[in-house]
Amino acid sequence: QGEAARGYLGLSGQGNFRIGEVKAQVLIVEVFSFYCPHCQRTAAQVNDLYREIERRGDLRGKIKMIGIGAKNSAYEVDSYGERYQVPFPLFPDRSLELTEKLCVKGTPTFIGFKVDGKGSQERFYHREGGFQDIDTFLADIVRQSGLK
C-alpha cells in the first residue's frame, strides 16, 4: 500500500503488518469481493460509514477501516476501489489465506477488532452480510468494543 494508506493506519516502515499494529482503538475490516453483487450494492453505504467515522470528532482516529478482497488480485482490488471510490485502504487476498484465518464464509462480512497499535488485537464483532443503518452499526461497534 502507498504512503497515504500507511499514514491513515499509523504504520511505519514497509511490508506486511499485523492488525494489532494499526494505530487506533478499533479496526473495522470489511471482507468483500470484486465479483460480489451484494458488496457492489453496499459499497456506497460502506463509504458513508467511513465518512461518518471521520466526520465525528468522538470517533475519528479511534476507529479505522480496511477492506480485504477475498480471492481478488491486486488489480481487482484496485479496480473495485476506483470504481466505487473507496476512501479506505484495500488489500488483496488472492489465496484466501486471510479470509480463512478470519473465518469468513461469505461476502460482505464485517469484523471488528480492538487494537492497541502495539500488536495486540481482539476480535469482538463478526457479521456476515451488510448492515441496515450506519448509526445503529456504529452504536453496536462502540458498545461492543467498549470504546470510550
Side-chain angles (χ1 to χ4, degrees):
Q1 288 290 314
E3 291 284 325
R6 293 189 81 73
Y8 165 71
L9 297 173
L11 301 170
S12 58
Q14 300 295 318
N16 294 338
F17 66 93
R18 294 175 47 101
I19 287 173
E21 294 174 319
V22 172
K23 303 290 190 270
Q25 294 176 34
V26 171
L27 179 67
I28 298 171
V29 177
E30 177 197 15
V31 181
F32 70 95
S33 173
F34 178 84
Y35 300 100
C36 169
H38 304 294
C39 301
Q40 295 166 6
R41 252 191 320 275
T42 62
Q45 183 184 32
V46 177
N47 291 347
D48 288 343
L49 171 65
Y50 168 86
R51 284 190 279 278
E52 179 66 11
I53 291 167
E54 292 299 300
R55 183 191 70 75
R56 288 183 47 182
D58 62 326
L59 300 179
R60 185 179 48 251
K62 294 180 181 178
I63 300 177
K64 302 285 176 91
M65 292 179 62
I66 65 170
I68 297 175
K71 208 169 186 180
N72 293 159
S73 67
Y75 175 79
E76 290 165 323
V77 165
D78 290 346
S79 295
Y80 185 91
E82 288 175 22
R83 181 175 190 180
Y84 298 104
Q85 301 177 341
V86 178
F88 51 89
L90 302 177
F91 301 91
D93 185 22
R94 181 103 176 145
S95 68
L96 293 176
E97 180 180 353
L98 294 172
T99 304
E100 289 172 359
K101 284 183 180 178
L102 294 172
C103 301
V104 172
K105 305 272 189 265
T107 56
T109 293
F110 295 88
I111 304 168
F113 289 94
K114 291 188 222 180
V115 296
D116 67 1
K118 299 173 186 163
S120 176
Q121 64 194 45
E122 177 188 342
R123 182 193 310 230
F124 69 89
Y125 186 89
H126 187 110
R127 178 189 178 100
E128 291 191 14
F131 50 87
Q132 296 299 316
D133 177 75
I134 290 171
D135 292 329
T136 302
F137 178 81
L138 270 178
D140 285 347
I141 292 292
V142 169
R143 182 178 43 78
Q144 290 184 37
S145 70
L147 185 66
K148 303 207 188 282

